[in-house]
Amino acid sequence: MNYDVVIIGGGASGLMCAATAAYRGRKVLLLEHTKKIGRKILMSGGGRCNFTHLHNSPANFLSDNPHFCKSALSRFRAADFVELVDRHGIEYHEKTPGQLFCNESSKEILQLLLTECDWAGVEIMTETSVFEVEQGAQGYHVRTSRGQFDVESVVIASGGLSIPNGGATGFAYDVAEQFGLKVTPRQAALVPFTLQPDLLEHLKPLSGVSQPVRVSCNGMSFSENLLLTHRGLSGPAILQISSYWHAGDEIEIDLLPQLALEDWLKEQRQQRPKAELRTLMAQHMTKRLAQTLCELWGFEGEVGQYSNARLQEVVQQFKHWRVKPSGTEGYRTAEVTLGGIDTNEISQKTFEAKKAPGLFFIGECLDVTGHLGGHNFQWAWASGFCAGQFV
């Protein structure tokens, strides 16, 4: 049962690494503890897999060591993965600028990876639990539910803590700590916010209502859609800012980022003094949202009766709405894990642990977290490809 390389984790980075290493002539075994390979790939992008972002760059990632990701991202670019997708005849489209999705199904991306692994000669075992990774005199012993494998290299590609019902565990962090590697604090990221009960009571009936906004927190801003849910706030803008939010922080929401609201309201006051404020606001958002927010903030009556000072209060609320989330929905719905294995412990060229030659860590388990929109997949492809050239 000897192999050159054992890869633990059958997700995006693990599959990419397996195919890359096997094409180099390495004898590769990939182990997955669940029944299905690539479950997060299948779930992603509403079942259509947002497989990369055309404008991917190091600026799209958070890490305590922001320079770490530069090398891999430059060696395997978005264009390189697109070329692979084209080679397999998968049809795709650009949704939001830069975000590429399959036309049909995320199954096509998984099939691409499985086909590449098959062509390269990778052996895949599912429903295989790994009990221990132990350093031997030469290489590593990997003890599993299917016996022990003795290998030169071990790649940990088991992901982070996000979406536990997709098979996520803290295995990678446990192995890292076993070998003396530092692991930074972790939290759920790209995740919806929950709200305090008093605010949620007002907003809950609006579940499903969406609004283009600009949301800011801790010096970072994103302009995308906000979605109201029965638990709180979601949508791309909220998922993006959640990576920059810490418990107790407020977020600021501009509900009308494209509108010079004060000037427009003064204009309306002159032209339509009898119009109710909620009626006017409903020109720029759904009628229900305008009505609920006007009630919540006490903006009643005809706009002609509003003084300049009162109009400024309206502007302050709609353009600078300050919300203190009660928390997030946690790893259950988070797309990724923020934080992870300290990248100062890992070679940015090979992804090998500096303290444990022959042990590699790739993908989400590392302290590299991408923005929404295909960046985390690009990190999986890039880290998997680069490690695959050295294992």
Side-chain angles (χ1 to χ4, degrees), residues 197-209 228-232 286 288-289 292 295:
D198 53 344
L199 181 55
L200 185 60
E201 190 183 335
H202 289 282
L203 300 181
K204 203 172 182 177
L206 297 173
S207 181
V209 171
L228 294 156
T229 74
H230 63 284
R231 283 190 290 268
T286 69
R288 288 167 63 210
L289 181 58
T292 299
E295 284 174 6

Side-chain angles (χ1 to χ4, degrees), residues 373-391:
H375 298 290
N376 288 293
F377 270 127
Q378 187 56 36
W379 174 244
W381 314 138
S383 61
F385 173 82
C386 291
Q389 294 183 311
F390 293 95
V391 293

Side-chain angles (χ1 to χ4, degrees), residues 97-114:
Q99 297 182 13
L100 299 187
F101 287 78
C102 297
N103 283 3
E104 293 298 323
S105 166
S106 50
K107 289 176 184 173
E108 295 174 292
I109 297 296
L110 180 56
Q111 191 54 56
L112 174 158
L113 295 162
L114 291 172

Side-chain angles (χ1 to χ4, degrees), residues 79-92:
D80 296 317
F81 193 75
V82 171
E83 188 186 326
L84 189 59
V85 169
D86 286 337
R87 219 161 52 231
H88 282 258
I90 297 170
E91 294 187 353
Y92 57 89

Side-chain angles (χ1 to χ4, degrees), residues 43 161-165 188 191 231 329-335:
M43 294 163 69
L161 299 168
S162 59
I163 316 186
N165 66 359
V191 63
R231 283 190 290 268
E329 290 191 10
Y331 291 115
R332 186 180 61 80
T333 58
E335 297 202 10

Side-chain angles (χ1 to χ4, degrees), residues 2 6 23 35 51 64 77 79 81 92 150 189 234 239 244 252 262 290 319 325 348 391:
N2 286 352
V6 162
Y23 275 130
K35 279 184 181 181
F51 56 82
D64 284 352
R77 301 160 301 133
F81 193 75
Y92 57 89
D150 302 315
S234 189
L239 299 186
Y244 295 85
E252 184 178 288
E262 187 171 3
K319 299 284 285 182
Q348 65 178 8
V391 293

Side-chain angles (χ1 to χ4, degrees), residues 80-379:
D80 296 317
F81 193 75
V82 171
E83 188 186 326
L84 189 59
V85 169
D86 286 337
R87 219 161 52 231
H88 282 258
I90 297 170
E91 294 187 353
Y92 57 89
H93 60 279
E94 189 175 353
K95 201 173 176 185
T96 307
Q99 297 182 13
L100 299 187
F101 287 78
C102 297
N103 283 3
E104 293 298 323
S105 166
S106 50
K107 289 176 184 173
E108 295 174 292
I109 297 296
L110 180 56
Q111 191 54 56
L112 174 158
L113 295 162
L114 291 172
T115 299
E116 289 288 328
C117 284
D118 182 44
W119 288 346
V122 175
E123 190 173 335
I124 295 175
M125 288 185 188
T126 56
E127 296 183 270
T128 306
S129 300
V130 177
F131 304 132
E132 188 180 23
V133 177
E134 184 186 25
Q135 201 161 14
Q138 293 179 318
Y140 290 83
H141 308 302
V142 181
R143 285 185 52 245
T144 79
S145 55
R146 294 183 187 236
Q148 180 171 304
F149 302 100
D150 302 315
V151 292
E152 291 175 32
S153 303
V154 175
V155 182
I156 309 295
S158 56
L161 299 168
S162 59
I163 316 186
N165 66 359
T169 70
F171 178 82
Y173 312 126
D174 295 339
V175 174
E177 287 172 341
Q178 175 195 332
F179 286 92
L181 310 186
K182 185 184 168 193
V183 180
T184 69
R186 284 136 286 163
Q187 70 181 60
L190 300 184
V191 63
F193 286 132
T194 53
L195 293 175
Q196 306 287 354
D198 53 344
L199 181 55
L200 185 60
E201 190 183 335
H202 289 282
L203 300 181
K204 203 172 182 177
L206 297 173
S207 181
V209 171
S210 183
Q211 174 70 12
V213 302
R214 183 172 176 82
V215 61
S216 307
C217 184
N218 291 320
M220 196 67 185
S221 297
F222 292 95
S223 296
E224 294 194 59
N225 274 10
L226 173 149
L227 176 69
L228 294 156
T229 74
H230 63 284
R231 283 190 290 268
L233 303 177
S234 189
I238 295 299
L239 299 186
Q240 293 278 40
I241 208 67
S242 70
S243 297
Y244 295 85
W245 177 85
H246 305 287
D249 288 346
E250 283 188 330
I251 60 170
E252 184 178 288
I253 303 168
D254 180 350
L255 288 156
L256 301 161
Q258 304 301 322
L259 184 65
L261 183 57
E262 187 171 3
D263 294 343
W264 182 77
L265 284 172
K266 286 179 177 175
E267 213 174 85
Q268 296 302 305
R269 182 176 61 182
Q270 194 174 352
Q271 293 172 5
R272 302 174 60 194
K274 295 285 186 189
E276 296 262 333
L277 183 74
R278 67 178 68 184
T279 306
L280 294 173
M281 298 311 294
Q283 292 181 41
H284 299 286
M285 57 185 66
T286 69
K287 187 177 175 182
R288 288 167 63 210
L289 181 58
Q291 183 173 336
T292 299
L293 293 177
C294 283
E295 284 174 6
L296 177 64
W297 296 326
F299 298 136
E300 300 295 331
E302 298 171 354
V303 72
Q305 297 171 355
Y306 280 62
S307 64
N308 285 347
R310 185 67 169 149
L311 284 186
Q312 281 188 340
E313 288 176 29
V314 175
V315 172
Q316 185 64 29
Q317 285 292 6
F318 280 90
K319 299 284 285 182
H320 306 278
W321 182 20
R322 301 187 75 81
V323 177
K324 185 185 279 191
S326 61
T328 72
E329 290 191 10
Y331 291 115
R332 186 180 61 80
T333 58
E335 297 202 10
V336 289
T337 306
L338 185 69
I341 297 163
D342 189 334
T343 55
N344 292 304
E345 305 273 15
I346 307 293
S347 162
Q348 65 178 8
K349 183 181 180 185
T350 66
F351 288 82
E352 190 172 30
K354 293 174 183 176
K355 293 175 184 169
L359 181 62
F360 297 75
F361 292 87
I362 57 175
E364 190 188 338
C365 67
L366 295 167
D367 173 30
V368 177
T369 305
H371 289 166
L372 193 70
H375 298 290
N376 288 293
F377 270 127
Q378 187 56 36
W379 174 244

